[in-house]
Amino acid sequence: MKINRRQFFKFSVGAAAGVMAFGLGMDLKPVKSYAQTLKIRYAKESTTICPYCAVGCGIIVHTSKGATGKVINTEGDPDHPINEGALCSKGAALSQLVNNENRLKTPLYRKPYSHAWQHVSWDWALYKIALNIKKSRDTSFTHKNSKGQLVNRTNGIAHIGSAALDNEECWPLQAMMRALGLVYIEHQARI
Amino acid sequence: MIMGSNAAENHPISFKWVTEAMKQGAKLISVDPRFTRTSSKADFYTALRSGTDIAFLGGMIKYIIENNKYFKEYLAEYTNAAFILTDKFDFKDGLFSGYDPKTRKYDKSVWEFERDEKGISKKDRTLQDPRCVFQLLKKHYSRYDLDKVEEVTGTPKEDLLKVYEMYSATGQKGKAGTIMYAMGWTQHTVGVQNIRAMSIIQLLLGNMGVAGGGVNALRGESNVQGSTDHCILYHIWPGYLKTPTASQAILTDYNTKCTPKTNDPLSANWWGNYPKYSVSLLKSFFGDKATRENDFGYSWLPKLDDGESYSWLDIFDEMYKGKFQGLFAWGMNPAGSSANANKARKALARLDWLVNVNIFDNETGSFWKGPGVDPKKIKTEVFMLPCAVSVEKEGSVTNSGRWMQWRYKAADSPGDARTDGDIMTDLFKKVRYLYRRDKDAIFPEPILNLKWDYTTNGEFDSHKMAKEINGYFLKDVTINGKSFKRGDLVPSFAFLQSDGSTSSANWLYCNSYTNKGNMAARRKRETSGIGLNLEWAWCWPVNRRIIYNRASVDKHGNPWDTEHPVIKWNGTKWVGDVPDGGWPPMLNKDGTLNHKSKYPFIMKPEGYASVFGPGRADGPFPEHYEPLECPVEKNLFSSQLINPTAPIYKTDMDAYRTCDCRYPFVCSTYRVSEHWQSGVMTRWQPWLVEAQPQLFVEMSPELAELRGLMNGEKVIVESARGKVKAVALVTRRLRPFKIHGTVVHQIGLPWHFGWVHPKDGGDAANLLTPSTGDPNTRIPESKAFMANVRKI
């Protein structure tokens, strides 16, 4: 039985009422075992740095060792010299960023002039983007500028973002864009 | 002092330490057009009109000099205040010498120092020479008298004096003052000069390099420091190397042009190592494919046209003109975050394709179904790719204090969402496949030769990348008596070479992941001292926590502040923080010059901090100009109304209105604690949306009365470029200003909202802001523009 946190609370309230009215007429096992997975005592603990502003606060993340493997709790890291356990409203709500039913879960594609998204596979989406890159790059590639100087660039594609990526992702991202010949490369630091 | 920032609201945990300092007797000054959460905690608060910071700070420079509050020894020995200028430098009626009104640019070569026969800048350490920087600084700011500053800023004279007095008290030896600023200073047509003005104050007071000093940019994204260091920006390559231009045909041209020189043997001129860093970077780009014979692949990387700008504002200008086929908006929402967002939204419709990588649906990916947009008319093919959040991958982020901190993976991503590292790896693999397959492919070398071996079992491996960022020895070498094997990680950038025998994807991060391990993952707290925490995580460069720390000591190596030393010379070596170079102090015990020493400001070619800044596009001294859109017809300081070098864009979507009765109020944008940036990450979270559900516009009771508006009423806020609906928040936090003898009202609104979600939350405040910005950085002027507010 799959159950999310909110349903669990609803369910447990209903279940408690049920117990009072009809005695042990319900199987509470799934609820109990789910509740077990929410206890941080049994969870895997890891540390992270808050994904919002650049103060760099430490956060402890508890992940269920149950089958869901979900993040079940986040809280300020008391050992961290910057925040000593404190967090702002956004940092304190980190678990709602992670476990959020509104998150995008599959690649989406919108055809020219279409009024709707369609779900597509990663393979399909990335291959189509790669084709687009090649076509746009090749048709706009400039070996020499108007002065005849060697520039080897494409003015047909631009890139913006991403200050939210890890350092180890930022480097290859700019490397890929530069290898493709982009000069219009910008991100959050500019605005 | 907190000015240009509302730290208590937007960087709340930074404010924890402000509070801590206040408990120990520190005084807090808050200067802001609006009485903020920061102001409510300050010892002293005063308001200024948005866009008049240089007038405010210029008055402070005048006060410090005329009242002898500056730290003379520091100023004369460690800054270029003593340097003598040639008579080609001049300033008249708002313009520095060298201005060309046709190109709206300066010829900066006329802002030159006098040099002696050895080519070393001439100095007058007594600071008396009428052509020395200090005397010219004094002359420049003698015009910023209290009356004029009050008339321009709207700040009462007595408040100005109070701030000047309080802050300049930090100029005493052993005292420190710091400034915390954010976008309230950068998002102006004079953004860089706002910060320059404060930097000059900090140098006058001897507040750079010391504990509790500095000019602190409170950066807004968890890794915007790191993404800047790795240069996802048009003008720089990783490690703040310059992006090559078309006139630099070969690597030697590039290195020669970019490597500063000095004739002064006492200047470390650290950038003199430039070729070691550029060649090591090229070795990380192209690995074995980068050889001395092919100029290490230099020609494979794209070049800019000399003097051209390829910035954010230019991207959207070009895009609006239909010049681009494709755009990557990777973890970014320009339909909400771009100044003049209407122009950005229209520009997106002129693309053939758009790739939007994000965690949630947003105004950019869904622009084709936005308000007033008919999808049937939008040709753009859009890909919206779901990515992991921070706790679903492993890697590091670098904070405002340059600490590189490691984060661990706590869970898998939901559904098919993938890490950005995996997305780019897979995408690049497919691009490579297409180029390998095409026998007539156009210029495939950079694509096929780019080194990309950062995967393990097909998945992106952040440790492999982190090691490459640090750098490797590529052959067995012995340097300064130390031997290294091919494949060893380079222990620090002092060992990088320009002959291709080392790699380092970012020299500034060399020392972050060495044979001793992953330095960013360290977790040992400091138990005593000033909070350097040298064994907690890692800090660039080479784990130095306070840069320019050799300015925190006198010429004998004794700290100015003996109670809070950053470093100290113990007779044989420096103790404390990692010093800015290990050279001994400037003077021997007997007071003679130590020729083995170096000046403290090692990144400057001359070794001195820049009171006079000849590299800036808009002048070597900050000068007050009005914002591009302003409520006054005249600049009281000169006949130049606006920054004469500010970029102006000219499409039909670019409208600028000054002294236009349709847009009579000064307007600014800002943030709230509960939301973040354009709101993509926070607007989908129930707790945060409950706390801050919708767009509001703050105004004074006087303005509300003038417009007949009630608190809580829905109103329209409009500028020459767009309009938004917002809830009127009538509050004493804003007060009318008296500017040039007339009443000027100021309003402000947060910019986190957008039409996608929540449904009645309102749209982006950036629909109002203008596409103009700073001539040095091209950061848009979102903090001072003209708007109207009215009943619906």
Side-chain angles (χ1 to χ4, degrees), chain B residues 188-210:
Chain B
H188 292 278
T189 41
V190 292
V192 166
Q193 298 288 7
N194 283 335
I195 294 141
R196 279 269 305 136
M198 192 65 209
S199 305
I200 290 172
I201 291 171
Q202 290 296 65
L203 292 173
L204 285 168
L205 300 175
N207 280 335
M208 295 305 290
V210 304

Side-chain angles (χ1 to χ4, degrees), chain B residues 22-47:
Chain B
M22 289 171 80
K23 278 188 205 158
Q24 294 178 36
K27 294 275 176 265
L28 175 64
I29 303 167
S30 162
V31 183
D32 198 295
R34 181 178 60 120
F35 184 85
T36 64
R37 277 181 168 169
T38 302
S39 317
S40 74
K41 296 288 178 192
D43 291 290
F44 189 73
Y45 163 75
T46 192

Side-chain angles (χ1 to χ4, degrees), chain A residues 47-49 55-60 77-85, chain B residues 397 399 401-406 408 518-527 531-540 543-545:
Chain A
T47 58
T48 190
I49 301 298
V55 169
C57 298
I59 297 179
I60 293 175
D77 181 350
D79 297 329
H80 198 285
I82 291 176
N83 58 317
E84 296 182 331
Chain B
V397 287
N399 76 359
R402 309 183 319 282
W403 289 17
M404 176 197 189
Q405 303 190 87
W406 200 259
Y408 296 89
N518 181 359
M519 298 290 133
R522 296 182 303 172
R523 278 180 67 89
K524 191 171 167 196
R525 270 198 82 164
E526 182 176 278
T527 47
L532 294 172
N533 284 292
L534 288 164
E535 289 176 83
W536 183 280
W538 182 85
C539 182
W540 70 256
N543 204 34
R544 181 176 306 138
R545 304 288 161 139

Side-chain angles (χ1 to χ4, degrees), chain A residues 82-154:
Chain A
I82 291 176
N83 58 317
E84 296 182 331
L87 289 174
C88 76
S89 45
K90 293 184 295 295
L94 178 63
S95 63
Q96 287 204 347
L97 174 75
V98 184
N99 298 319
N100 192 312
E101 59 190 12
N102 302 306
R103 280 184 66 179
L104 297 170
K105 293 187 191 74
T106 59
L108 298 174
Y109 175 67
R110 185 258 176 189
K111 266 197 297 214
Y113 308 106
S114 161
H115 66 283
W117 291 113
Q118 60 190 90
H119 292 268
V120 292
S121 74
W122 275 106
D123 235 24
W124 186 90
L126 293 180
Y127 188 67
K128 193 136 191 353
I129 296 167
L131 287 169
N132 284 351
I133 290 172
K134 185 162 189 302
K135 187 178 162 206
S136 298
R137 178 186 180 273
D138 291 358
T139 53
S140 68
F141 203 81
T142 310
H143 290 285
K144 289 188 172 173
N145 66 7
S146 56
K147 288 185 189 163
Q149 296 162 317
L150 197 66
V151 292
N152 285 333
R153 68 181 180 221
T154 169

Side-chain angles (χ1 to χ4, degrees), chain B residues 684-695:
Chain B
W684 293 97
Q685 295 185 42
W687 292 344
L688 299 175
V689 167
E690 191 175 335
Q692 285 288 357
Q694 62 195 146
L695 182 65

